[in-house]
């Protein structure tokens, strides 16, 4: 079986071409992808060639871990699932490319346990499940934040989930005026914030100097939760020393985070509308990826595979 896929051949070199897929096992599913999201965190690092050494990392590679689509075929042990609409957190099913991520393709094969059933009415918003689960995990690990740094897609989801979970409305810092629109919480320019007693600061910006910025605004014994993905971090020791600052890393989301987010969506407490800013046909992937990484107006880019 073959599938049309986005392939990152080398830093800043993308192609859209047909790849051979590995055979489907007895418990595997074949999913026809409708939508896939572009990550401005890890995938931006892959695109730029700045991704740190990581198991399974290398080129050529099919990106994508935010895909949704319908199961169109299955192995003998999973045929009852044909027809389900599912979220696909990536797939490792290509003969000519690595599948560390692997979801940016018209068709993928993956183990049945990895495909998460979702309501088909979510449509393209379904691609946000991975980021929403990441946001939920950051709160589960570090507690409800008083301050969120960055009002991109991840920062917005952390804020929305904090409010939806009853944790209260956080303050959010955002340097871009166009992104200072909140939904039940306050979004401000950090230059306008004089507060220096935050208990928990959650970074969703991925900025390299976040620890210096955050430690200076903590109260005594406060904590910084790192929700992004970073190349290398460093900080001046005295501000951290004076505040007895703590730092916590929020790693990959868990199945429990996905279940919690789906429950918030199903009960109407968490809305995903208004978070996706750009959609382009998958045939324009070579232009869509650079735009997602460089256009300040692009909060979230999604590829539409349905016409291919």
């Amino acid at each position: 079986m073959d599938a049309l896929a986005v392939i990152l051949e080398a830093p800043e070199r993308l192609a859209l071409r047909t790849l051979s897929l590995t055979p489907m096992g007895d418990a595997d599913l074949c999913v026809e992808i409708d939508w896939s999201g572009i990550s401005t965190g890890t995938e931006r690092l892959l695109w730029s060639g700045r991704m740190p050494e990581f198991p399974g990392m290398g080129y050529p590679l099919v990106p994508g871990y935010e895909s949704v689509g319908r199961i169109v075929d299955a192995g003998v042990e999973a045929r009852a699932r044909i027809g389900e609409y599912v979220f696909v957190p990536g797939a490792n099913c290509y003969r000519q490319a690595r599948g560390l991520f692997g979801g940016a393709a018209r068709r993928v094969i993956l183990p049945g346990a990895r495909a998460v059933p979702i309501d088909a009415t979510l449509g393209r918003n379904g691609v946000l499940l991975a980021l929403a689960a990441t946001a939920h995990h950051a709160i589960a690990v570090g507690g409800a934040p008083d301050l969120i740094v960055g009002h991109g897609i991840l920062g917005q989801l952390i804020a929305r989930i904090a409010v939806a979970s009853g944790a209260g409305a956080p303050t959010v810092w955002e340097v871009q005026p166009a992104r200072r629109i909140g939904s039940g919480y306050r979004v401000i320019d950090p230059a306008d914030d004089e507060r220096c007693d935050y208990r928990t600061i959650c970074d969703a910006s991925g900025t390299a100097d976040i620890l210096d910025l955050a430690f200076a605004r903590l109260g005594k014994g406060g904590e910084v939760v790192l929700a992004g993905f970073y190349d290398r971090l460093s900080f001046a020791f005295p501000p951290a020393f004076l505040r007895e600052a703590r730092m916590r890393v929020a790693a990959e989301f868990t199945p429990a985070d996905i279940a919690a987010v789906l429950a918030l969506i199903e009960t109407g407490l968490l809305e995903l509308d208004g978070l996706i800013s750009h959609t382009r046909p998958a045939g324009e992937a070579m232009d869509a990826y650079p735009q997602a990484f460089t256009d300040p107006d692009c909060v979230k880019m999604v590829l539409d595979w349905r016409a291919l």
Side-chain angles (χ1 to χ4, degrees), residues 30-246:
C30 178
V31 179
E32 193 166 86
I33 300 299
D34 287 343
W35 312 91
S36 65
I38 298 177
S39 163
T40 55
T42 50
E43 290 184 2
R44 186 205 298 257
L45 292 172
L46 285 166
W47 162 260
S48 66
R50 295 186 294 109
M51 182 74 171
E53 287 297 323
F54 206 79
M57 166 59 192
Y59 304 95
L61 178 142
V62 176
Y65 57 88
E66 306 168 327
S67 302
V68 293
R70 195 170 299 280
I71 299 171
V72 294
D73 198 2
V76 293
E77 296 176 8
R79 296 196 64 79
R81 296 191 63 183
I82 294 175
E84 283 185 12
Y85 205 74
V86 293
F87 170 77
V88 174
N92 188 10
C93 58
Y94 308 99
R95 292 186 181 275
Q96 303 107 322
R98 294 172 182 262
L100 174 62
F101 299 101
R106 183 62 172 114
R107 185 170 292 171
V108 300
I109 292 172
L110 75 162
R114 284 180 54 79
V116 181
I118 63 172
D119 192 329
T121 60
L122 281 174
R124 65 173 190 168
N125 282 344
V127 306
L128 299 174
L129 185 56
L131 278 170
T134 299
H136 184 275
H137 190 70
I139 295 174
V141 165
D146 303 306
L147 173 66
I148 298 167
V149 181
H151 201 231
I153 186 73
L154 180 58
Q156 291 185 56
L157 281 164
I158 294 172
R160 288 191 184 196
I161 290 173
V163 172
S165 302
T171 296
V172 181
W173 282 357
E174 177 54 56
V175 296
Q176 296 186 39
R179 294 190 179 186
R180 292 191 200 127
I181 301 174
S183 179
Y185 52 89
R186 188 172 65 134
V187 187
I188 61 174
D189 187 329
D192 296 331
D193 189 0
E194 297 181 355
R195 186 175 170 184
C196 295
D197 63 347
Y198 287 108
R199 294 169 301 162
T200 303
I201 298 175
C202 184
D203 177 57
S205 70
T207 184
D209 60 350
I210 183 57
L211 293 177
D212 282 331
L213 294 172
F215 285 155
R217 298 303 191 101
L218 284 178
K220 191 81 168 182
E223 182 171 82
V224 176
V225 178
L226 300 173
F229 195 88
Y230 310 82
D231 182 1
R232 182 177 297 274
L233 292 171
S234 62
F235 62 94
F237 183 70
F241 173 81
L242 291 172
R243 292 163 176 81
E244 292 187 336
R246 295 174 294 164

